[in-house]
Amino acid sequence: MNAENTQTSEERPLNFIEEIIQEDLAQGKHKSIITRFPPEPNGYLHIGHAKSICLNFGLARKFGGKTNLRFDDTNPIKEDTEYVDSIKDDIQWLGFQWANEFYASDYFEQLYQWALVLINKGLAYVDDQTQEEIRLNRGTITTPGTDSPWRNRSIEENTNLFTRMRNGEFPDGSRVLRAKIDMSHPNMLMRDPLMYRIIHAEHHRTGNAWCIYPMYDYAHGQCDSIEQITHSVCTLEFDVHRPLYDWFIEKLEIFPSHQYEFARLNITHTVMSKRKLLELVQTGLVNGWDDPRMPTICGLRRRGYTPSGIRLFSEKVGVAKRDNVIDISLMEWCIREELNKTAPRFMAVLDPLKAIITNYPEGAEEFMKAPLNPEDPGSGERLIPFSREIYIERDDFMEDPPKKYFRLRPGGEVRLKYGYIIRCNDMIRDQEGNILELHCTIDPDTKPGTGTWRSVKGTIHWLSAKHTVAGEVRLFDRLFLEPYMGSIPEDKDYREYLNPESLKIIRAFIDSQAVAMANQAVSGQDGSRIRFQFERLGYFVADYDTTKEKPVFNRICTLKDTFSKTLNQL
Ligand code: ATP
Ligand code: MG
């Protein structure tokens, strides 16, 4: 990896939003900055939100400002407190703390008063057209819209009707409040956009206090303004909303927040729409929001990703002005980089095959030495027990192997990692002819650090049978086979692209020292969960399903880097 690719945010050149902020501060436009993260509490956060969180909180951190958490809870139908709690939990887990926790619904009264101000200025009117009529009269990109027959109501009539809308006198959908801008504006969003609609529904915070709810475009900028947000950062698709954002603020003569757009994060082999994620959960195609294959923060967290790994990923992705799709292997590269430096090494044997060392005395044992983490000189040594019965992986033995197979074969030799060279002399079979166990012998002169060093082509990992715990290992692969889920044909259901092999559950033996370490930590806070490298297999962490009786480990990522190849092209 070259130096350029491991730069931190302090060292790399400023991104375009940071440049704007630096300029604003230099010119004295603001004394300090305030950003916000504005989730709608209608689902769990995903890695795209993590990008937005790292960006918004990161900007404030970098420039000594602060960040508000604002729940954008203007739609009572889809929102829930369950989501509020999970969102807060995820942000804190990522390592950020908001200056204030606000809700758009806190501002309903102020927003309502401001709507009356706009009515008073002749800049808003109550429209009685049906939704369909409004849609039709909006015109198209090439043809101007048509004025509503209610567009020229008097200020008195508008005030009267709007007040009565608020008081609950009219049914859902019977009337709306619209801004009076320009029905032939080239930007369709400026053709008298909706400000309020009637929804008789209970809100998770305001209960039944309101039956009119502000639209996103009317609420968002004003909420920013109330909180004196200096830099309101959102994703690119909102650039067409910016003129409207500015229009409301200008007409109301309130604190001039400004909106800046960056490219949303897209990742290969996954979907990030909340609707689709919800559907995957509800139809049981995944095992819940925190299924380790999900791109949700709670899924990545369960899988064993660290907050710092996700923050590094966000940093690497950068802040782009144009939409793109990031290779999911970059995310894996980021966590692998970190775990390589921090994870203690142990061995685990998947799909085990027993091997008896016939020339090793029963009851005897000895210890092999290995560094706990060769990347961390301070980590010390571990002792690996060896005894007469060991397990190796079934995959590391072949009865009739092809050429160039360097692992164990009948009559062949292989080195046990950190241990002796063994030779396979015999295979014991069951009645169906399946191999039950191997009979092997060690060459006693080949213990590392003693005797004479002799090398053989293959090295395999192994465990002393009586020093292991039987458990389960979960191996994950891409959730979808198609890398560009955003480009699948419209007539196709995205679920057709699910990878049927995205989850493999495998019987395994795990080093009992690693299991003991994991058990100690798992009862504590998430931060104390220990991530291990199981040699030759990848990085692992105990899953929430782990019990004292049966350890369950998730593979966070493999050891093999598929990303470096493409990294230099970034
Ligand atoms: P919805 O369709 O429900 O609006 P959303 O993904 O936009 O979904 P929000 O809760 O509105 O969800 O998003 C909160 C913040 O996260 C917004 O500022 C949004 O721009 C940002 N965000 C959402 N998805 C991404 C993404 N993929 N990349 C970067 N930022 C994102
Ligand atoms: Mg949104």
Side-chain angles (χ1 to χ4, degrees), residues 51-317:
K51 168 74 220 174
S52 173
I53 292 168
C54 291
L55 178 58
N56 279 299
F57 283 88
L59 289 171
R61 202 171 265 184
K62 188 170 185 123
F63 293 99
K66 60 184 188 178
T67 305
N68 289 342
L69 169 60
R70 183 192 327 128
F71 288 101
D72 193 353
D73 57 349
T74 51
N75 185 349
I77 295 160
K78 294 189 292 176
E79 295 156 3
D80 210 312
T81 338
E82 170 197 353
Y83 300 125
V84 169
D85 296 339
S86 78
I87 289 169
K88 282 160 60 175
D89 199 40
D90 284 346
I91 299 172
Q92 284 174 322
W93 179 77
L94 277 175
F96 298 106
Q97 186 56 54
W98 47 91
N100 301 288
E101 175 183 337
F102 290 135
Y103 292 79
S105 56
D106 295 340
Y107 311 132
F108 279 172
E109 182 60 33
Q110 176 66 77
L111 293 171
Y112 173 74
Q113 293 301 330
W114 278 338
L116 289 170
V117 170
L118 291 177
I119 290 174
N120 252 304
K121 290 188 172 188
L123 294 172
Y125 62 97
V126 173
D127 194 347
D128 299 356
Q129 294 182 103
T130 63
Q131 237 178 344
E132 183 62 9
E133 286 167 336
I134 292 178
R135 199 179 57 77
L136 288 174
N137 289 338
R138 187 159 281 159
T140 67
I141 311 172
T142 46
T143 54
T146 315
D147 285 2
S148 164
W150 312 104
R151 197 171 195 263
N152 292 317
R153 276 177 160 150
S154 68
I155 290 173
E156 292 67 35
E157 192 183 357
N158 280 319
T159 307
N160 173 282
L161 284 172
F162 185 55
T163 314
R164 290 168 58 198
M165 274 170 66
R166 189 243 181 282
N167 291 340
E169 290 185 32
F170 309 120
D172 286 9
S174 56
R175 292 191 157 88
V176 292
L177 185 72
R178 298 179 74 173
K180 192 170 177 176
I181 305 180
D182 179 358
M183 284 306 290
S184 52
H185 201 286
N187 180 343
M188 299 273 289
L189 290 171
M190 298 295 274
R191 294 185 187 172
D192 292 9
L194 264 52
M195 292 167 60
Y196 273 92
R197 69 260 201 244
I198 304 173
I199 306 176
H200 289 269
E202 190 166 312
H203 185 277
H204 73 110
R205 280 176 67 86
T206 56
N208 292 308
W210 294 87
C211 61
I212 54 168
Y213 289 94
M215 303 296 292
Y216 172 89
D217 280 320
Y218 177 64
H220 203 87
Q222 280 65 264
C223 293
D224 282 346
S225 179
I226 292 169
E227 295 175 17
Q228 309 211 339
I229 302 299
T230 53
H231 298 81
S232 176
V233 180
C234 65
T235 45
L236 225 48
E237 66 274 21
F238 287 97
D239 66 342
V240 287
H241 296 249
R242 191 174 356 103
L244 187 51
Y245 182 104
D246 293 340
W247 189 89
F248 283 123
I249 285 179
E250 188 202 315
K251 299 299 174 200
L252 289 167
E253 299 173 74
I254 55 180
F255 180 87
S257 293
H258 281 287
Q259 176 186 298
Y260 304 89
E261 306 89 19
F262 75 104
R264 71 189 295 120
L265 172 63
N266 299 302
I267 297 184
T268 57
H269 298 283
T270 196
V271 293
M272 281 206 272
S273 123
K274 281 184 201 165
R275 181 182 62 78
K276 289 179 183 160
L277 295 176
L278 179 66
E279 213 165 68
L280 291 174
V281 172
Q282 284 178 340
T283 54
L285 290 166
V286 296
N287 305 312
W289 285 102
D290 68 350
D291 186 305
R293 293 166 294 175
M294 290 277 273
T296 49
I297 297 181
C298 55
L300 292 167
R301 174 178 178 178
R302 177 167 191 173
R303 176 151 171 173
Y305 270 77
T306 58
S308 44
I310 294 177
R311 293 197 303 263
L312 176 65
F313 174 61
S314 167
E315 183 61 34
K316 289 269 165 268
V317 166

Side-chain angles (χ1 to χ4, degrees), residues 30 50 69 143 200 337 450 479 498 568:
H30 309 288
L69 169 60
T143 54
H200 289 269
E337 267 303 276
T450 64
L479 188 51
L498 278 166
N568 290 328

Side-chain angles (χ1 to χ4, degrees), residues 325 482 484-490:
V325 184
E482 163 62 40
Y484 301 104
M485 289 301 290
S487 323
I488 59 171
E490 288 212 352

Side-chain angles (χ1 to χ4, degrees), residues 513-526:
Q513 297 174 65
V515 174
M517 277 172 77
N519 280 347
Q520 242 175 5
V522 99
S523 55
Q525 285 297 304
D526 184 70

